[in-house]
Amino acid sequence: MGIVAGLDSSPDFTRIVVCDADSGAVLRQGYAPHPVEAGDGARPSDVDPQAWLLSLGEAAGGGLLEGVRAIGVSAQQNALVPLDAQGNTVRPALVGNDRRAQVAAADLIDGLGGREAWAQAVGCVPQAAQPVTKLRWLAQNEPESAQRIALILQAHDWLVWQLLGRPLRRTTDRGGASGTGYWSAASGAYRPDLVELALGRQAALPEVLGPAEPAGTTPEGLLISAGTGETMAAALGLGIGLGDAVVSLGASGSVMAVHHEALADPTGMITSLADATGLHLPVVHTLNAVRTLRGAAELLGAPDLEALSDLAMKSTPGAHGLVLLPYLEGERTPNLPHTAGTLAGLRREAMKPEHLARAAFEGMLCGLADALDVLRGRGVDVRRVFLLGAAAELPAVQTTAPALLGAQVVVPQPADYAALGAARQAAWALGASQGTLDPRTPPQWQSAAVQVFEPGEELPVGKAVRQQFTTVREQTHPGAFGGAAS
């Protein structure tokens, strides 16, 4: 079919990959950071969307897109781009986890009648990051701007619209729509009443496209696919399917899995997202992942995480009875926003640096295993777990994760999977439009190069470490999971 491109507009940069449409082989790449105006006084959560276009243009320089027949767009999730009736931005886009909106989130939860009402309505409970919450914040704090809003887009919607020359038709995809807080992955429909609850009135929303449906074609004949959010694009780039889960090891953590249906969770621990293929991506977030390791490294005087890993490898499973509940920033899963971390099991023989290092790794992974069990407890099948993030390369993670997570662990080689997923979507839309690909099935691309780790004989040991962790968690925070995790 020729060549296609995927572009990923992350919070900080644009990366473009140009791929062979049939195999997925990367032919060339481009990169550019978003321009930042020095000393303009803007908040980090307020961004002029033109910055995304400028870095896109720079990343695509030097003829990078020559010969490309279709482009897919992945972009940061939770960005709210408010436009007026002429299609101009009313104010800078609100991006990221905007802490200003925490009160607005609480207001919205109360306004609909509680967490369960939201979970049933759209599959998630409002958080500060979500567009629906940012709309409420605007209505409360910038009423003049809120009054001018005629159309609400997200980052990938806006970029696709710009690439197509700002046509009358505005589009999004299931994946992006499912994170807004006003579209339901279960029903596949918008909830305009929730936009009105947040903003105080209605506004136009983009049309939600199917996975292989193109958003349009440029005057030059370049097909633009539906686009999607970064999480969904990364899942498509990795090639995960039913039975797969992805654990992301950032400062905070997330666990997502592919499932055949949307999950409504009245506790709010599960965010029910749609994926970019027609299936669903239930996600559970933790506030403490690699920040647990960094804290332990600072406490022990280890110069970096590699040194902390080497130290932990000198200990044994169970860390001589030391258990670290890694709730250093409070915790979201379980819902303990105002708690602190706990170090339990201190005995004289356990008070060695290697045991504390081991407890930090085990505590982080047990916390993520708890999150994984929230999904398993709702019937989500997990046969293998993809580990993402730089910490996934650490020996102390690779040797302990399979037994603690209770599954085969796969560590893909580092790559921009969101950009690859966007390119795969472009190839799918191109093939479907030509009649050479099934619109229900994405193209089969070569799999990512991976390392595979099996739990093997260590599984009983992992269960014992999990039980040690669970006992301390239940003693310290009785009923924190309400029976959702074991």
Side-chain angles (χ1 to χ4, degrees):
M1 288 193 297
I3 60 175
V4 295
L7 71 88
D8 174 34
S9 181
S10 84
D12 301 311
F13 59 81
T14 299
R15 191 180 300 278
I16 301 176
V17 295
V18 176
C19 301
D20 179 90
D22 295 309
S23 69
V26 176
L27 306 176
R28 45 189 190 263
Q29 301 183 56
Y31 168 89
H34 296 324
V36 177
E37 299 263 339
D40 64 358
R43 295 171 183 264
S45 48
D46 289 344
V47 174
D48 183 350
Q50 292 297 328
W52 308 333
L53 275 185
L54 289 169
S55 70
L56 192 166
E58 188 178 339
L64 185 79
L65 299 179
E66 193 173 324
V68 166
R69 300 182 61 190
I71 292 178
V73 178
S74 153
Q76 59 180 302
Q77 284 155 243
N78 297 320
L80 176 73
V81 187
L83 302 178
D84 63 18
Q86 286 71 47
N88 300 315
T89 49
V90 168
R91 69 176 312 284
L94 285 88
V95 300
N97 186 18
D98 195 335
R99 292 183 178 273
R100 294 177 293 180
Q102 287 174 337
V103 173
D107 288 349
L108 284 174
I109 293 169
D110 292 342
L112 195 63
R115 303 169 74 85
E116 187 163 359
W118 278 97
Q120 293 295 339
V122 288
C124 57
V125 178
Q127 304 281 340
Q130 285 178 298
V132 72
T133 308
K134 289 168 177 166
L135 285 176
R136 168 57 71 99
W137 183 88
L138 279 176
Q140 290 174 332
N141 295 275
E142 298 181 9
E144 292 182 5
S145 293
Q147 277 299 318
R148 292 172 51 216
I149 295 174
L151 169 67
I152 304 164
L153 297 181
Q154 294 187 85
H156 91 259
D157 312 339
W158 187 84
L159 283 165
V160 164
W161 186 54
Q162 296 291 329
L163 288 173
L164 289 171
R166 296 164 58 111
L168 285 175
R169 183 191 192 210
R170 281 77 58 123
T171 62
T172 188
D173 86 306
R174 296 171 68 253
S178 67
T180 59
Y182 43 80
W183 185 86
S184 166
S187 68
Y190 278 117
R191 288 287 302 264
D193 58 313
L194 299 182
V195 174
E196 190 162 342
L197 178 68
L199 189 60
R201 57 188 185 80
Q202 293 294 334
L205 301 169
E207 176 188 344
V208 181
L209 301 176
E213 200 175 346
T217 306
T218 68
E220 298 77 30
L222 186 64
L223 183 139
I224 309 293
S225 63
T228 195
E230 277 188 317
T231 297
M232 300 80 189
L236 189 59
L238 280 168
I240 65 170
L242 291 169
D244 291 333
V246 177
V247 172
S248 296
L249 299 174
S252 54
S254 69
V255 178
M256 69 177 179
V258 182
H259 198 46
H260 62 275
E261 64 180 353
L263 297 176
D265 175 28
T267 69
M269 283 193 284
I270 298 174
T271 299
S272 192
L273 300 176
D275 79 346
T277 72
L279 293 170
H280 295 270
L281 278 178
V283 183
V284 179
H285 294 275
T286 70
L287 294 181
N288 300 280
V290 175
R291 63 166 43 101
T292 306
L293 304 183
R294 296 205 182 282
E298 289 170 14
L299 185 65
L300 293 168
D304 51 37
L305 296 188
E306 287 74 15
L308 186 74
S309 173
D310 292 343
L311 200 56
M313 294 294 284
K314 295 176 182 174
S315 181
T316 52
H320 254 63
L322 280 189
V323 174
L324 177 64
L325 300 183
Y327 307 150
L328 308 184
E329 298 281 323
E331 189 45 84
R332 183 170 164 184
T333 307
N335 186 28
L336 299 166
H338 306 300
T339 193
T342 302
L343 184 63
L346 281 171
R347 291 187 173 85
R348 176 64 190 89
E349 64 271 17
M351 296 178 74
K352 293 182 178 177
E354 60 265 33
H355 301 322
L356 180 55
R358 179 88 186 197
F361 280 96
E362 290 179 347
M364 175 187 77
L365 289 167
C366 283
L368 290 162
D370 278 350
L372 194 58
D373 279 355
V374 170
L375 296 178
R376 284 174 165 144
R378 290 296 306 276
V380 177
D381 181 31
V382 178
R383 293 191 296 274
R384 62 177 180 169
V385 175
F386 284 74
L387 273 188
L388 300 185
E393 301 291 334
L394 298 172
V397 170
Q398 295 179 349
T399 56
T400 54
L404 291 179
L405 299 177
Q408 180 190 80
V409 165
V410 176
V411 180
Q413 71 176 24
D416 195 320
Y417 290 103
L420 288 168
R424 190 178 177 205
Q425 187 195 63
W428 190 9
L430 180 64
S433 71
Q434 295 173 337
T436 57
L437 285 177
D438 185 337
R440 295 164 300 182
T441 309
Q444 296 300 309
W445 278 12
Q446 57 197 21
S447 300
V450 300
Q451 296 172 278
V452 178
F453 303 90
E454 301 283 356
E457 297 174 359
E458 295 299 311
L459 201 52
V461 176
K463 287 182 177 177
V465 174
R466 284 285 314 276
Q467 187 56 53
Q468 179 177 273
F469 179 90
T470 302
T471 299
V472 173
R473 189 194 69 221
E474 280 299 306
Q475 288 171 347
T476 312
H477 306 287
F481 273 104
S486 58

